[in-house]
Amino acid sequence: MEQTRRDFLKTTAAGAGAAGLIGLPSTTRAQGSKLTVWWNKGYYPEEDAAMQKIVKEFEAKHKAEVELSFTAQEDLLKKITAALIARRVPDVAFCFYNDWQVVPKYAWDDRLADVSDVIEELRPRYDDKMLVVAHVMNNKMKKRAYYGVPIEAQTMHIHYWRDLLKEAGLEDAPDKIPMKWDDYWNYWKKAQDALRKKDAAKYGKLFGIGMTESTRASDTLYNFDMALLSFNGEILDKDGKIIADQPRNRDAIVKTLKWFGELFTSGYVPPDATNWTDGDNNAGFHSHTLVMTPNPSQSIPAAQFFNKDDPQKNNYFNNMATIEWPDGPDGKKARYLTAVKTIIVPKDSRNQKLAKDFIKFVVEKDRFAEYIKAANGRWFPAFKDVASDPFWRTGHKGPKGEKDNHVPVATTIFLERDNRVFEHYKHPALSQVYDENVWGKAMARIVVDKWPADKAADEGIERIKAIFAQHK
Amino acid sequence: MKLTTREGGLEASPRVVIAPPRARPRRLFRSRTAIGFVFTAPLLFLFAAFVVYPMAIGLYYASDPDSYRAIFSDPVFRTTAANTFWYVVVAVNVKLVLAVLLSGVLDYPYWSIRVLAALFLIPWAVPALPGILSFRWMLNSQWGIFNHLLTKFGFASVPWLAQHDTALGAVMVFHIWKYLPFWTIIFLAGRRAIPGELYEAAAIDGGSAVQNFFHVTFPLLRNLYLICTLLSMVFTLGDFTVPWLMTGGAPGDSTHVLATLAYRYTFTMGRLEWGLATFTVALPITLLFIGLLMRWVKI
């Protein structure tokens, strides 16, 4: 039968409509028994391989399909944020930023699944200090519960080049570095002076201290909070109320900011430190233009461990070392802050049971030990049984039997020092304080805008109060 | 038989007389409109899905007055508004003035100028990311080429990206470097459209090069210049890539522009409504530019 123009148009329109409907982009919304897992891309291929192995084992055991994708941390945070806002979510998400940028605020908004049942099951295995990070407030339900499963942690360390100290004519062994506050920081200044004096052409642009003081870097807030602890300052009380404006704490904040300002303007910190991202102090250290740098993970030694240009791992075992944060100005041993990395299950996930089964499967002792050791000590396990593995006390062994100067230091900090988690679990507004990098801004006020430390401190405190006031 | 009309003209053969239209104009119109809709449906669907719907959702999210209270109370927002103003005013004007002048240079009919024009287009043709990263390295205070040269000649090194004025200046300079070739080519095309007779007449009257520019070239480029200014303002107001990759808002969140601040609110802080409110603040200005532009080009 001959087709009229009208018939043709009808057919075309109907066909186009059907094609449009069928061809609608598939969403990431978790459906059926297929588990969608978004995982932070590891720093090393071994980490990703270990997770892929876990997924295969889980699929075989649970007869379920797992769609695993790896994304770099900065992009994954945006992906998770967008997914939670749009309510088109994965079933499981693990991002290195979950602990402070996702868990407090999205639990508050009732976008995360309560995983207290998982935590209760795992509780005997947990290091209690780390568990609290996921016990956060749900403002809709008006209750506190566990909205994340902590798995691994990072804390503050100082890395330095032993070969540079040797060349400067200074003691380079970790136990010879002075640990008193002023002596400690002056030691690196002395190294810079000595090296520049020795060879101005070679070391003219070397700096003693790689202290990140930028609003672009999360290292900044870690550096600030560590120094604030050294000066005995607190921002919140145990109930999450602001006490930063109390005279004792304000005084500590002013002293801390003044210390950062003077450190920067003294000429021993690279001028670009106010513009650094989290990777810039690492880059400066690896290129031997910094004698030391504080870094809140073991990423620097771990990168040297995998340095292909150094097959004997001479840098890792002989040329560099990791030491602790110095004793406070009052002479007391350093207190540490720990960031505990956390897995979440979005509330809109349709496979919550399977998601929780998956998490429990991942953190089983041997399986998780294999996964976390693939990161070469970059993270420390949140589980006591995994942390009891001798690896954490001895670390790697060098090709000539050298001792590991990095992993055991982190273990000492985690297990033997006064150590507590960041306090954003107390109130989601603190998470925003960190997001805004309020103290990084205050540092810039001092070093860029030339404000006095007390004025910068007061602006920071007022900003914190304003942020808390927005969370009703 | 000769067919004539009443006016005496030739009458058409009855076989070729076009029958008067059937008295169903509305139905015909409806039918033709429907066909038109069917043919434009894909475009309309895409327009609705990717322009109307996102804008409507955006305005819906941005309609919460608390968001405006929050962003206006943020000291970073105030600095950002000022930065955006200076970024648009300085970068657009410097870029377009230079583009008009450089288009005069590229208008010379020499082969060397053609080679120069091809080289001149490279910044515009290369992707922004490698360009910005290279520029950042050049500005690095420790090992950047600029400071290397400064110190070689006895000057103090400058922390280019670590202080507000030089960091924002670096963003503007890169923006100008990157987009200058594009606007120069536009003005070059405009110059080439000016009739040569006008210059010949000016030459007969003894007009100098400067007089030619002010009395012949620029008056005839005026409309193009204004349109380019408005277009460039719209583009620059929404520029995210250059400020974000160059400074990321540092030092101390002092070099944000509205586009980067909205991104920071939305993706760093998870405050979608603040991010959209930030864009909405700039919306009246953008719409004003677009309105002026449409009026100018009589769309």
Side-chain angles (χ1 to χ4, degrees):
Chain A
M1 194 177 75
E2 195 184 339
Q3 195 181 36
T4 64
R5 188 179 64 171
R6 191 167 296 248
D7 290 338
F8 170 75
L9 288 173
K10 277 181 188 166
T11 316
T12 308
L21 285 173
I22 293 163
L24 275 178
S26 59
T27 65
T28 54
R29 186 161 190 143
Q31 289 173 357
S33 62
K34 187 166 142 191
L35 197 72
T36 305
V37 177
W38 291 355
W39 206 262
N40 207 115
K41 182 154 185 56
Y43 286 85
Y44 317 106
E46 289 83 353
E47 287 178 87
D48 295 346
M51 180 45 60
Q52 281 163 337
K53 188 181 162 209
I54 290 173
V55 164
K56 274 187 189 150
E57 288 169 1
F58 180 81
E59 284 178 324
K61 190 177 172 189
H62 287 259
K63 304 281 180 278
E65 190 187 345
V66 178
E67 188 184 285
L68 171 69
S69 61
F70 293 107
T71 310
Q73 62 204 58
E74 287 83 6
D75 294 331
L76 184 54
L77 172 66
K78 292 166 187 72
K79 198 171 156 184
I80 293 172
T81 302
L84 290 169
I85 292 171
R87 308 194 91 120
R88 303 186 78 79
V89 295
D91 296 304
V92 176
F94 175 65
C95 175
F96 297 150
Y97 294 136
N98 274 354
D99 56 330
W100 60 285
Q101 290 190 291
V102 176
V103 172
K105 69 178 77 157
Y106 291 106
W108 177 268
D109 292 338
D110 195 32
R111 301 280 175 106
L112 301 182
D114 182 343
V115 291
S116 299
D117 50 341
V118 178
I119 298 293
E120 286 312 316
E121 212 171 300
L122 298 171
R123 187 181 285 279
R125 294 178 54 209
Y126 265 115
D127 179 338
D128 288 338
K129 281 186 291 191
M130 297 190 191
L131 196 49
V132 69
V133 75
H135 195 240
V136 293
M137 186 71 187
N138 180 326
N139 194 42
K140 195 173 173 192
M141 315 286 276
K142 303 289 178 202
K143 65 157 191 175
R144 256 180 200 278
Y146 289 97
Y147 287 97
V149 181
I151 59 168
E152 58 192 21
Q154 63 181 125
T155 191
M156 177 61 81
H157 331 83
I158 308 277
H159 308 295
Y160 70 92
W161 285 113
R162 297 182 68 165
D163 53 353
L164 286 178
L165 286 186
K166 271 184 207 158
E167 201 164 343
L170 295 167
E171 290 281 4
D172 66 298
D175 57 350
K176 300 286 181 194
I177 308 293
M179 292 305 286
K180 289 191 187 314
W181 184 260
D182 286 333
D183 296 346
Y184 186 86
W185 300 107
N186 286 336
Y187 200 69
W188 315 110
K189 294 178 184 176
K190 221 186 285 178
Q192 176 183 318
D193 291 340
L195 287 165
R196 286 193 181 188
K197 197 174 166 190
K198 189 172 180 184
D199 190 342
K202 190 175 175 188
Y203 295 119
K205 287 168 185 170
L206 170 141
F207 287 87
I209 302 168
M211 182 68 77
T212 307
E213 301 195 21
S214 158
T215 45
R216 299 176 80 184
S218 61
D219 285 5
T220 304
L221 58 94
Y222 223 127
N223 292 339
F224 177 85
D225 276 11
M226 281 297 297
L228 185 64
L229 277 182
S230 296
F231 282 100
N232 295 313
E234 303 277 349
I235 303 293
L236 302 183
D237 69 6
K238 63 180 174 50
D239 300 319
K241 298 226 164 46
I242 303 169
I243 52 170
D245 53 354
Q246 289 178 357
R248 185 180 70 88
N249 292 317
R250 182 188 173 276
D251 186 47
I253 292 168
V254 171
K255 279 181 183 161
T256 305
L257 287 173
K258 197 171 172 209
W259 178 76
F260 274 105
E262 285 172 357
L263 193 64
F264 183 84
T265 50
S266 65
Y268 293 97
V269 173
D272 284 343
T274 54
N275 192 33
W276 277 356
T277 58
D278 280 329
D280 285 325
N281 66 320
N282 297 41
F285 187 83
H286 290 307
S287 61
H288 265 76
T289 56
L290 299 171
V291 181
M292 72 83 98
T293 188
N295 208 43
S297 83
Q298 288 273 5
S299 59
I300 290 177
Q304 287 296 344
F305 188 84
F306 287 110
N307 185 354
K308 285 178 186 153
D309 297 331
D310 181 20
Q312 290 301 305
K313 305 193 188 306
N314 207 28
N315 282 345
Y316 184 86
F317 288 106
N318 302 311
N319 289 342
M320 61 175 286
T322 297
I323 49 169
E324 293 191 44
W325 187 264
D327 303 342
D330 60 0
K332 286 185 189 157
K333 202 79 192 151
R335 289 186 289 160
Y336 286 88
L337 281 165
T338 300
V340 189
K341 306 298 140 188
T342 305
I343 307 174
I344 58 157
V345 177
K347 191 171 185 181
D348 289 316
S349 159
R350 292 185 185 173
N351 292 312
Q352 290 195 17
K353 186 181 173 308
L354 196 61
K356 289 176 181 179
D357 287 344
F358 178 77
I359 294 170
K360 285 187 271 186
F361 189 81
V362 170
V363 301
E364 277 174 25
K365 187 189 165 197
D366 293 339
R367 193 168 289 119
F368 186 66
E370 190 182 340
Y371 168 74
I372 197 168
K373 279 161 78 177
N376 273 281
R378 191 179 195 283
W379 308 107
F380 190 79
F383 303 101
K384 287 181 285 189
D385 50 7
V386 181
S388 66
D389 186 304
F391 169 77
W392 304 103
R393 284 293 186 188
T394 57
H396 300 283
K397 201 171 177 186
K400 294 172 197 157
E402 298 101 319
K403 187 177 128 198
D404 190 324
N405 288 314
H406 312 285
V407 176
V409 178
T411 305
T412 303
I413 293 170
F414 278 115
L415 299 182
E416 292 169 22
R417 299 289 178 253
D418 183 354
N419 207 315
R420 68 187 201 195
V421 299
F422 278 91
E423 296 187 316
H424 37 65
Y425 70 90
K426 290 182 178 174
H427 200 294
L430 193 62
S431 175
Q432 191 182 319
V433 171
Y434 289 138
D435 288 343
E436 286 194 20
N437 218 326
V438 168
W439 298 120
K441 172 89 184 150
M443 289 177 199
R445 287 293 196 200
I446 297 168
V447 302
V448 179
D449 300 335
K450 311 294 176 203
W451 281 22
D454 53 351
K455 190 179 168 191
D458 288 338
E459 186 189 57
I461 292 167
E462 286 310 311
R463 184 65 195 151
I464 290 173
K465 286 182 181 172
I467 292 168
F468 272 68
Q470 287 160 6
H471 286 77
K472 295 158 196 162
Chain B
M1 191 176 73
K2 194 177 172 187
L3 298 171
T4 55
T5 60
R6 274 185 298 177
E7 288 77 22
L10 280 173
E11 192 177 306
S13 159
R15 278 183 295 179
V16 291
V17 168
I18 298 168
R22 293 165 70 183
R24 292 191 307 177
R26 285 179 65 80
R27 193 169 161 191
L28 177 66
F29 171 75
R30 278 199 214 114
S31 165
R32 288 172 65 84
T33 307
I35 292 167
F37 270 122
V38 169
F39 277 109
T40 53
L43 180 65
L44 290 174
F45 172 76
L46 291 174
F47 186 74
F50 296 107
V51 179
V52 178
Y53 176 72
M55 281 196 71
I57 286 284
L59 289 172
Y60 168 73
Y61 273 110
S63 60
D64 180 5
D66 283 347
S67 302
Y68 295 93
R69 267 182 227 116
I71 63 172
F72 289 140
S73 70
D74 183 357
V76 176
F77 180 81
R78 294 193 287 272
T79 313
T80 299
N83 289 344
T84 310
F85 173 80
W86 287 116
Y87 185 44
V88 171
V89 168
V90 176
V92 169
N93 286 303
V94 172
K95 182 175 61 186
L96 291 183
V97 167
L98 285 175
V100 167
L101 298 176
L102 280 168
S103 65
V105 176
L106 298 187
D107 201 20
Y108 283 103
Y110 306 130
W111 69 268
S112 53
I113 294 288
R114 278 192 214 113
V115 172
L116 190 67
L119 291 174
F120 183 66
L121 277 174
I122 289 174
W124 179 62
V126 296
L129 183 65
I132 294 172
L133 292 180
S134 305
F135 202 56
R136 273 181 62 87
W137 278 97
M138 289 160 78
L139 292 170
N140 186 288
S141 64
Q142 273 176 279
W143 48 75
I145 184 79
F146 290 126
N147 276 349
H148 176 74
L149 292 173
L150 281 176
T151 50
K152 209 169 178 64
F153 290 104
F155 295 101
S157 66
V158 179
W160 298 101
L161 297 176
Q163 48 190 22
H164 170 263
D165 293 352
T166 49
L168 191 61
V171 174
M172 290 176 186
V173 167
F174 186 86
H175 174 96
I176 292 165
W177 176 82
K178 170 84 183 148
Y179 297 109
L180 181 61
F182 173 78
W183 296 109
T184 306
I185 295 300
I186 298 283
F187 287 126
L188 180 60
R191 278 176 183 270
R192 297 249 164 109
I194 297 172
E197 292 85 354
L198 294 176
Y199 292 106
E200 286 166 15
I204 290 166
D205 290 341
S208 66
V210 175
Q211 284 171 321
N212 278 355
F213 177 77
F214 282 110
H215 297 292
V216 180
T217 309
F218 195 71
L220 289 170
L221 283 182
R222 198 184 60 171
N223 280 355
L224 180 65
Y225 189 89
L226 282 168
I227 290 166
C228 289
T229 303
L230 288 168
L231 272 176
S232 180
M233 280 176 142
V234 173
F235 295 156
T236 309
L237 192 62
D239 186 15
F240 169 82
T241 313
V242 177
W244 184 256
L245 294 175
M246 184 65 73
T247 69
D253 283 323
S254 65
T255 58
H256 278 294
V257 292
L258 288 173
T260 60
L261 186 67
Y263 180 84
R264 172 180 174 260
Y265 282 147
T266 306
F267 291 109
T268 307
M269 295 165 57
R271 294 282 193 159
L272 175 68
E273 67 283 11
W274 291 12
L276 289 165
T278 306
F279 276 126
T280 310
V281 169
L283 197 59
I285 301 160
T286 312
L287 289 176
L288 175 72
F289 290 158
I290 292 171
L292 286 172
L293 190 66
M294 290 175 75
R295 198 172 160 191
W296 209 270
V297 296
K298 297 186 174 60
I299 291 174

